Amino acid sequence: MVKKILLGVVAVVVVAVVAVASYAGVQISRFNASMDKVYDVPIPEVVRSTDPAVIARGKHLTNSVGACSGRLCHGSDLGGGPTTEMGPVMVFSPPDITSAGLCAAYSDGELARLIRYGVKKDGHSLMFMPAQDFRWLPDADVLAIVSYLRTVPPVERPNGPTAIRPLGKILDRRDAMVLDVARRIAAAPVDLAPPPTPTAAYGKYVAHMCQGCHGEGLSGGPLPGAPPSIPTPLNLTPDATGLKDWSFEDFDRVMRHGVRKNGQQLNPFMPIEAWSQFDDVEMQALWAYLRTVPPTALGNR
Ligand code: HEC
């Protein structure tokens, strides 16, 4: 009798292991097939501008809304960021995008296509770089970023490793995170932002930059599959477990100086080196929008 029960248990475990392994195998091969795809997205006809006002707008967007020069992104000199190890999910090292790196290889149109569609020079999808979060930038803003990047002094720094690991591939296919960027952009309708105003209508677009970490619904919670060394993004909705009792001044202080309402210093994983450079319109727009999202308990992402 005992033997029979044991045999039964072993059989159930074996079936479960085989089912999980074959599910994982299917998801991983779907991910690989999607990353092998060559996208037929025409190269936009973009020619860099040398107008100082356009370059200044590009510099602002690169350092603030785009967060390109963030510490864990391409670095303050845009010569490439550090290697971030995310265990079984992935390892990533943002590359050199100065004229000694990416900008040497890409034409103006190819750069614009990369920013808008997440498609690389060779037609494959970008890995992980969240182009889906700033694809709302209107054509004039994309042109401004391309024009500014052309003026950045070259930095010679070798690029570190970037690889998506099996758990990352499965999480991507389950939509728990976006690593296969061009597939998402190709599937979503184009929705470009209106001209900047300090309103929720504009803040909704700026807030896309927060959703990769704080979640689609902005209520935070641990990043899927992240090792414990990565802090948990907090709740940005007007819930009691979020920013319910916060004023604009509290919000502005944490975004510009990294000091939370409770006086604690913010973990540097939250990229305030970019957010501190939002202009007043962007900061107010973002705050106006955060007050309109449904209050949700922490952790529902
Ligand atoms: C790279 C991931 C990442 C991105 C992108 C990000 N955050 Fe955060 N954020 C975090 C983490 C992690 C914390 C918690 C840090 C801690 O515990 O000290 C945090 C904390 C915060 C807090 C403090 C909340 C509190 O209760 O003190 C605010 C406000 C905030 N983020 C706003 C934003 C906004 C607005 C954006 C988009 C413009 C954004 N974050 C984008 C990771 C991120």
Side-chain angles (χ1 to χ4, degrees):
M1 182 63 187
V2 172
K3 212 172 164 189
K4 264 195 178 161
I5 294 176
L6 272 180
L7 274 178
V9 170
V10 169
V12 169
V13 170
V14 168
V15 169
V17 168
V18 169
V20 168
S22 63
Y23 172 80
V26 169
Q27 301 306 318
I28 290 169
S29 65
R30 284 192 184 147
F31 179 89
N32 292 342
S34 180
M35 291 303 287
D36 283 345
K37 184 175 165 177
V38 174
Y39 288 83
D40 184 19
V41 180
I43 297 170
E45 281 183 26
V46 168
V47 179
R48 79 192 78 163
S49 164
T50 51
D51 177 344
V54 174
I55 292 173
R57 172 78 182 153
K59 181 175 184 181
H60 170 70
L61 291 167
T62 301
N63 292 329
S64 59
V65 177
C68 319
S69 56
R71 208 173 39 81
L72 297 180
C73 299
H74 298 281
S76 56
D77 59 4
L78 299 175
T83 298
T84 300
E85 186 45 76
M86 291 191 62
V89 175
M90 64 175 158
V91 55
F92 69 89
S93 320
D96 181 347
I97 59 170
T98 69
S99 55
L102 184 91
C103 274
Y106 278 63
S107 67
D108 293 342
E110 286 166 345
L111 279 175
R113 184 175 69 162
L114 177 102
I115 294 168
R116 175 65 66 73
Y117 299 100
V119 171
K120 295 196 288 191
K121 188 181 172 79
D122 64 7
H124 289 109
S125 173
L126 275 172
M127 261 193 280
F128 177 59
M129 186 189 98
Q132 75 281 2
D133 292 341
F134 40 83
R135 60 169 315 209
W136 51 270
L137 289 169
D139 290 350
D141 282 346
V142 173
L143 170 69
I145 294 175
V146 170
S147 305
Y148 168 64
L149 288 180
R150 294 296 184 193
T151 69
V152 172
V155 177
E156 302 272 353
R157 198 154 56 224
N159 294 330
T162 293
I164 312 290
R165 296 183 176 138
L167 181 59
K169 296 179 181 183
I170 296 168
L171 289 171
D172 174 272
R173 291 307 302 190
R174 291 180 58 85
D175 280 335
M177 63 197 314
V178 177
L179 301 175
D180 173 1
V181 173
R183 173 164 69 88
R184 301 324 202 289
I185 295 182
V190 179
D191 180 17
L192 301 183
T197 48
T199 58
Y202 187 69
K204 178 180 108 176
Y205 293 91
V206 181
H208 285 309
M209 288 309 296
C210 321
Q211 289 169 321
C213 286
H214 290 275
E216 206 55 32
L218 295 168
S219 73
L223 287 167
S229 55
I230 306 250
T232 298
L234 297 167
N235 187 355
L236 305 184
T237 74
D239 183 73
T241 59
L243 308 185
K244 184 166 181 257
D245 299 326
W246 284 44
S247 64
F248 173 73
E249 286 66 35
D250 297 327
F251 177 69
D252 191 69
R253 188 167 65 142
V254 78
M255 298 290 282
R256 295 207 189 277
H257 308 291
V259 181
R260 297 175 56 194
K261 184 177 165 74
N262 63 11
Q264 274 175 6
Q265 195 64 35
L266 197 69
N267 186 299
F269 186 72
M270 153 90 173
I272 60 157
E273 63 277 17
W275 313 150
S276 60
Q277 297 186 54
F278 280 148
D279 62 26
D280 290 345
V281 169
E282 288 153 357
M283 198 68 96
Q284 283 165 21
L286 195 48
W287 180 246
Y289 175 67
L290 290 178
R291 296 328 265 171
T292 68
V293 301
T296 312
L298 171 69
N300 288 296
R301 299 205 42 89

